[in-house]
């Protein structure tokens, strides 16, 4: 005989179990995002260096089939969860520029040794082109593919010419971040156009990318947030007198030859530069290393005596190696797709449909060898 209230108790237990499961899933999701946000560099330091705001963007979808799925995923990511952890970087490698920045940093440190901790490290100098959020390996792979797709779009903007960025003068963002300025000119227009194309291309892939404020390309050399304890010592702003001798200093020109997909959080390389998942060589650097060298030799001849950049061959080799790695990844993905039975069956149907063939085991083995 059924006891009074048993059905109600079981119903409550089921509701409690369902509620616990829901809370567990929400806790797990929140824990993942909190762990990302709480990582050492994913703080104010990153926001100031890469120009990040906390507002997510509405991404355009190019694939109608996946549009609803991507929208659902983005709904799960609340605005406060948009914490970029990857960025597109233009590395600054011209020794004239990096040497000039070191002189600037040393001049500031001589006036206030406490500011040594606020300086950007050697090898990390760069211009941020775009920030984005890639939360797992699949999204990183999408980022790598998108960077490869971005390359011809950038070269179309450049129209067969290389992009040279001249740096002159020093300024700050609200007296908190010190940076070397880009000179005015057509190069800024091209850089802004490249940044916009990059933002659109990554967003079309369903990647949370970009930020609300207007893009302001700059070369950071110091940030007070790197030494927050200075506020307790009364250092709340970067005093303009510290860099007044460099207000109109000409640092040199950087020829843009590479764009990297870098992580903000992964351990930096031994040379001080960010962890790089992929790179593309752009502009007239397309082609063999001999072509690349000819282009660089032509440009190097115009440099003043004793001012020529060092290690050009190493930089070229590194850039070409990074691009080859990206292409190898693409080939690997294509090969993996071709080896799938469904793909092979589809290819056979398209090749032999309507043809009277004697499809036996020997033909099967032969076709498999062709595909592999």
């Amino acid at each position: 005989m059924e006891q009074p209230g048993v059905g109600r108790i079981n119903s409550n237990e089921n509701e409690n179990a369902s509620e616990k499961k829901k809370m567990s899933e929400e806790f797990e999701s929140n824990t993942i995002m909190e762990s990302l946000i709480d990582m050492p560099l994913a703080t104010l330091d990153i926001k100031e260096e890469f120009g990040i705001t906390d507002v997510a963007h509405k991404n355009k979808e190019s694939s109608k089939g996946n549009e609803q799925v991507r929208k659902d995923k983005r709904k799960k990511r609340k605005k406060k969860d948009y914490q970029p952890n990857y960025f597109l970087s233009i590395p600054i490698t011209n020794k004239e520029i990096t040497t000039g920045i070191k002189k600037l940093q040393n001049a500031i440190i001589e006036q206030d040794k406490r500011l040594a901790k606020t300086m950007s490290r050697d090898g990390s100098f760069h211009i941020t082109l775009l920030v984005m959020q890639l939360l797992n390996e699949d999204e990183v792979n999408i980022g790598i593919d998108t960077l490869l797709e971005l390359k011809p779009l950038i070269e179309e903007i450049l129209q067969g010419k290389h992009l040279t960025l001249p740096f002159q003068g020093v300024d700050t963002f609200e007296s908190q971040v010190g940076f070397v300025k880009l000179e005015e000119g057509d190069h800024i227009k091209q850089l802004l156009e490249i940044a916009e194309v990059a933002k659109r291309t990554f967003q079309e892939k369903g990647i949370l990318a970009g930020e609300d404020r207007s893009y302001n390309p700059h070369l950071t050399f110091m940030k007070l947030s790197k030494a927050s304890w200075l506020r307790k010592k009364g250092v709340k702003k970067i005093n303009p007198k510290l860099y007044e001798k460099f207000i109109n200093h000409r640092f040199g020109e950087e020829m843009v030859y590479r764009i990297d997909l870098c992580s903000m959080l992964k351990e930096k390389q031994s040379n001080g530069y960010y962890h790089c998942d992929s790179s593309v060589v752009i502009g007239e650097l397309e082609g063999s290393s001999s072509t690349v060298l000819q282009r660089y030799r032509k440009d190097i001849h115009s440099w003043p005596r004793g001012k020529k950049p060092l290690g050009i061959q190493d930089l070229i080799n590194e850039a070409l190696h990074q691009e080859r790695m990206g292409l190898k990844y693409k080939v690997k993905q294509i090969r993996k797709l071709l080896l799938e039975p469904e793909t092979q069956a589809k290819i056979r149907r398209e090749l032999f449909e309507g043809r009277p063939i004697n499809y036996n085991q020997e033909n099967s083995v032969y076709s498999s060898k062709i595909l592999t």
Side-chain angles (χ1 to χ4, degrees):
M1 188 170 83
E2 184 178 348
Q3 297 180 8
V6 170
R8 181 169 51 82
I9 293 173
N10 289 338
S11 175
N12 290 338
E13 288 178 350
N14 291 335
E15 290 177 2
N16 290 337
S18 176
E19 186 66 24
K20 287 180 179 179
K21 182 179 179 182
K22 182 179 179 181
M23 291 175 64
S24 176
E25 290 175 350
E26 290 179 354
F27 176 78
E28 182 178 358
S29 175
N30 290 337
T31 301
I32 292 173
M33 288 310 306
E34 286 172 4
S35 64
L36 175 64
I37 294 172
D38 289 339
M39 292 183 77
L41 292 179
T43 56
L44 180 63
D45 192 27
I46 282 181
K47 292 181 180 180
E48 289 183 346
E49 179 168 355
F50 298 97
I52 297 170
T53 60
D54 289 325
V55 182
H57 290 269
K58 295 181 179 179
N59 297 336
K60 297 179 181 179
E61 301 293 344
S62 59
S63 174
K64 292 183 178 180
N66 295 327
E67 183 173 359
Q68 189 58 45
V69 175
R70 287 171 179 164
K71 284 183 178 180
D72 291 341
K73 286 183 178 179
R74 287 198 298 274
K75 285 180 181 178
K76 293 180 181 179
R77 296 184 189 177
K78 299 178 181 179
K79 289 183 178 182
K80 66 183 179 66
D81 291 335
Y82 177 47
Q83 181 67 50
N85 59 339
Y86 270 80
F87 67 104
L88 293 185
S89 167
I90 298 175
I92 302 300
T93 57
N94 181 353
K95 292 296 183 181
E96 181 185 18
I97 298 175
T98 57
T99 300
I101 293 176
K102 288 304 298 179
K103 290 180 179 179
L104 165 62
Q105 291 176 326
N106 290 335
I108 293 175
I109 294 171
E110 286 179 4
Q111 299 173 71
D112 191 339
K113 291 182 171 55
R114 297 174 299 177
L115 295 175
K117 296 292 185 180
T118 69
M119 300 300 168
S120 299
R121 289 183 287 179
D122 293 352
S124 67
F125 300 126
H126 70 281
I127 289 181
T128 299
L129 194 63
L130 179 72
V131 296
M132 68 194 72
Q133 184 184 62
L134 305 175
L135 294 182
N136 52 51
E137 185 178 352
D138 288 340
E139 292 189 1
V140 172
N141 288 336
I142 292 174
I144 293 172
D145 287 344
T146 307
L147 180 58
L148 290 173
E149 293 180 20
L150 183 62
K151 173 178 174 174
L153 301 178
I154 294 175
E155 291 175 342
E156 183 178 349
I157 293 173
L158 297 179
Q159 297 182 347
K161 300 178 181 179
H162 62 263
L163 177 60
T164 301
L165 304 178
F167 292 92
Q168 181 172 358
V170 177
D171 202 350
T172 68
F173 291 128
E174 299 179 352
S175 299
Q176 298 296 309
V177 179
F179 64 92
V180 174
K181 297 193 297 184
L182 269 173
E183 288 184 25
E184 295 295 330
D186 292 339
H187 52 274
I188 292 184
K189 181 180 178 182
Q190 286 184 311
L191 194 58
L192 293 175
E193 190 174 353
I194 291 172
E196 183 58 34
V197 168
K199 178 180 175 180
R200 183 172 66 248
T201 303
F202 275 83
Q203 288 183 347
E204 287 175 351
K205 297 297 182 179
I207 294 175
L208 293 178
E211 34 113 11
D212 279 349
R213 72 183 70 176
S214 60
Y215 177 59
N216 186 358
H218 60 279
L219 175 48
T220 300
F221 68 86
M222 71 177 293
K223 303 185 297 293
L224 289 183
S225 62
K226 291 173 70 70
S228 56
W229 53 268
L230 284 173
R231 294 187 66 86
K232 296 179 180 179
K233 302 290 185 180
V235 182
K236 299 180 180 181
K237 294 184 178 181
I238 300 174
N239 190 332
K241 292 183 179 181
L242 295 172
Y243 55 84
E244 61 182 355
K245 293 182 179 179
F246 292 82
I247 288 291
N248 296 312
H249 179 78
R250 183 172 179 80
F251 288 86
E253 297 181 346
E254 178 69 33
M255 189 185 303
V256 180
Y257 69 98
R258 197 179 88 208
I259 294 178
D260 303 323
L261 177 64
C262 296
S263 170
M264 300 178 188
L265 306 178
K266 293 180 181 178
E267 185 178 354
K268 289 186 178 181
Q269 301 177 37
S270 58
N271 62 0
Y273 191 60
Y274 296 86
H275 172 90
C276 183
D277 280 87
S278 183
S279 301
V280 290
V281 178
I282 62 172
E284 293 179 351
L285 291 173
E286 177 76 27
S288 65
S289 58
S290 60
T291 303
V292 174
L293 282 172
Q294 287 176 7
R295 177 252 178 110
Y296 264 100
R297 288 192 184 109
K298 179 180 178 181
D299 290 319
I300 289 172
H301 285 316
S302 63
W303 285 71
R305 184 180 298 275
K307 295 284 187 177
K308 295 181 180 179
L310 304 176
I312 289 297
Q313 179 65 68
D314 293 336
L315 295 176
I316 295 169
N317 291 341
E318 180 186 357
L320 294 177
H321 170 71
Q322 291 286 354
E323 184 171 6
R324 283 196 296 268
M325 291 298 290
L327 293 174
K328 284 181 180 179
Y329 166 79
K330 200 76 171 176
V331 171
K332 182 180 178 181
Q333 293 296 102
I334 294 173
R335 187 174 184 275
K336 181 180 178 181
L337 179 63
L338 289 175
L339 289 175
E340 293 180 357
E342 296 83 359
T343 305
Q344 294 188 13
K346 184 176 180 180
I347 292 175
R348 292 190 188 100
R349 285 197 301 271
E350 293 181 357
L351 286 176
F352 304 118
E353 189 174 16
R355 297 184 184 181
I357 62 171
N358 183 19
Y359 188 78
N360 52 30
Q361 186 175 2
E362 183 178 349
N363 286 333
S364 177
V365 173
Y366 177 73
S367 298
S368 296
K369 286 182 178 180
I370 292 176
L371 291 172
T372 55

